Amino acid sequence: MIKKLLFATTLLASGETMAYQAVGHASWYGPGFDGHKTASGKRFSRHALTAAHKSLPLNSHVRVTNLANNESVVVEINDRGPFSRGRLIDLSQAAARAIGLRGIGKVEVTALD
């Protein structure tokens, strides 16, 4: 598993700051989860730009950059996961497509808010 913590300071809505930037593996999830409730209480849509992360605040936003092609997308963290060992983040199908991710890929995740 590649997981390297770097630093980026982010101001949260609560007024607190959060520093989070990491490099690791991303995967995506889609059709089988459409309509299911996420940890945030919202319904999952594979067509929305969302992601699951184990510890980042729900409803926060992160920039995910595919390190293979330098394409990036901003997603909302609306669920918990990934539950597959060695993964940093699970993207919705739309988010994965936006950065050209097929299967599993190496990404950089940076907190924005």
Side-chain angles (χ1 to χ4, degrees):
M1 172 174 80
I2 300 170
K3 195 172 184 180
K4 181 180 178 185
L5 245 54
L6 307 169
F7 295 99
T9 302
T10 301
L11 183 63
L12 298 175
S14 65
E16 297 177 34
T17 58
M18 176 178 68
Y20 185 87
Q21 189 174 37
V23 173
H25 288 101
S27 53
W28 64 271
Y29 62 120
F33 295 95
D34 265 336
H36 291 223
K37 266 193 175 176
T38 63
S40 69
K42 298 176 185 175
R43 298 273 177 200
F44 176 76
S45 170
R46 64 185 162 150
H47 304 293
L49 296 177
T50 59
H53 191 276
K54 289 180 184 172
S55 61
L56 288 171
L58 293 172
N59 305 312
S60 65
H61 293 84
V62 298
R63 179 179 316 283
V64 180
T65 303
N66 182 344
L67 297 178
N69 62 13
N70 210 34
E71 294 290 327
S72 65
V73 66
V74 174
V75 297
E76 179 181 350
I77 303 298
N78 73 339
D79 209 359
R80 292 296 174 217
F83 297 107
S84 297
R85 190 176 181 159
R87 308 266 172 79
L88 176 63
I89 194 166
D90 266 345
L91 302 172
S92 66
Q93 187 175 20
R97 281 188 178 158
I99 61 171
L101 182 71
R102 295 187 177 130
I104 301 167
K106 189 174 173 186
V107 299
E108 179 179 84
V109 177
T110 304
L112 299 176
D113 62 5

